[in-house]
Amino acid sequence: MICALGASVCFGTATVLQAMAARAAGEGGTGGAGGAAVLLLRALRQWRYLAGLGLDGVGFVLQILALRSLPIYAVGAALAASLAVTAVVASRLLHVRLSRVEWAAVAVVCGGLAMLGLASGPEGDRTGSLALKYAMLGTSVAVLVLALVGGRLPDRGRALALGLGSGFGFGVVEVAVRLIADLDPGTLLANPATYALLIGGGAAFLLLTTALERGSVTTATAGLVIGETIGPALVGVVWLGDRTREGLAWLGVLGFAVAVAGALALARFGEAPAKEPSAPA
């Protein structure tokens, strides 16, 4: 659980650092057709942006380690809790004012994770069937197709659809990690889960970027949280044998629901604000 929480802290902090770097990079203006590229190049010169990328890398490694020893439902809920980390860090570094409801949501997320930590048992002992591996590969391809055509979807409901698709992509990554038992190069190349992980992860990033650029951050992030937690958790329980400690199934279900609900309440922090909010008139 320490690795899962560490990944959550890394991802949540990285979001704020990258937002601060993007804000600083945009102060000089980004006019012209290559404005986005110029902004990215300027951001890459910011130590905060590079630190954020480094934290993303560390977080991904911690996520893989957590998935090797914890049920998927516990890791998924912990990753969703990175929104709580982003909210707290943003309130300090970006001077974003959190309402009482949002502070309560942060506390709810922490409470849900505490319940999950008490209830979680070891990861399931099933390696996953070949059919499940191909199902993950098929899902990743579907997510990739959505990523390629997502920008053409109607405005209404687009942010939610893209957010859900991104969540499914990240969920494929969570499940695929469990389906890769042997790291021998030959075995990796023959395992459909390897390609599911690569395609699903890449498509998920594309979808999330499109969703945040062309729709509501809150809606897209809510879809992301739902997609990357509920589906993978069900796969882990039904097909991979994930269980809770004896007699604590109710606590695990309650903790999962509470943590995800708290994360949904903090969905607006899916992309940390690039500017400090204006003072009320």
Side-chain angles (χ1 to χ4, degrees):
M1 195 64 177
I2 293 177
C3 288
L5 293 177
S8 178
V9 171
C10 287
F11 290 141
T13 306
T15 297
V16 179
L17 291 175
Q18 288 163 352
M20 293 178 69
R23 182 179 64 180
E27 288 177 351
T30 57
V38 172
L39 180 61
L40 177 59
L41 290 175
R42 289 180 180 174
L44 286 172
R45 298 173 186 173
Q46 303 281 332
W47 70 265
R48 293 183 182 87
Y49 195 86
L50 296 177
L53 290 178
L55 284 174
D56 282 334
V58 174
F60 183 68
V61 173
L62 290 174
Q63 176 187 353
I64 292 177
L65 292 176
L67 287 166
R68 290 293 186 179
S69 58
L70 281 178
I72 293 176
Y73 64 79
V75 178
L79 295 179
S82 65
L83 292 173
V85 176
T86 298
V88 173
V89 176
S91 71
R92 296 292 183 267
L93 299 184
L94 288 175
H95 308 290
V96 176
R97 181 172 296 180
L98 272 64
S99 66
R100 292 182 179 179
V101 173
E102 287 171 333
W103 278 117
V106 172
V108 166
V109 169
C110 293
L113 291 177
M115 287 186 279
L116 269 176
L118 291 173
S120 296
E123 67 171 356
D125 54 2
R126 303 176 196 168
T127 58
S129 64
L130 184 61
L132 179 59
K133 295 175 182 178
Y134 275 110
M136 291 299 102
L137 179 57
T139 302
S140 69
V141 172
V143 172
L144 179 60
V145 171
L146 179 59
L148 295 176
V149 303
R152 303 174 187 174
L153 295 176
D155 291 342
R156 185 176 182 179
R158 178 169 59 190
L160 179 59
L162 296 180
L164 277 171
S166 178
F168 289 146
F170 287 124
V172 166
V173 172
E174 295 175 18
V175 177
V177 169
R178 287 279 300 276
L179 297 178
I180 299 174
D182 193 339
L183 298 181
D184 176 74
T187 305
L188 280 175
L189 292 175
N191 191 343
T194 303
Y195 305 101
L197 187 153
L198 297 175
I199 296 173
F205 277 113
L206 286 175
L207 276 171
L208 185 58
T209 301
T210 305
L212 295 179
E213 178 186 2
R214 301 189 180 186
S216 164
V217 170
T218 301
T219 303
T221 305
L224 168 67
V225 170
I226 293 172
E228 75 173 348
T229 54
I230 297 177
L234 290 175
V235 172
V237 171
V238 176
W239 284 287
L240 297 179
D242 288 347
R243 293 292 183 269
T244 61
R245 294 181 181 179
E246 187 69 27
L248 292 180
W250 65 271
L251 185 61
V253 173
L254 179 61
F256 180 84
V258 167
V260 172
L264 289 174
L266 296 167
R268 76 179 179 101
F269 292 96
E271 183 183 55
K275 295 182 181 180
E276 296 178 10
S278 301

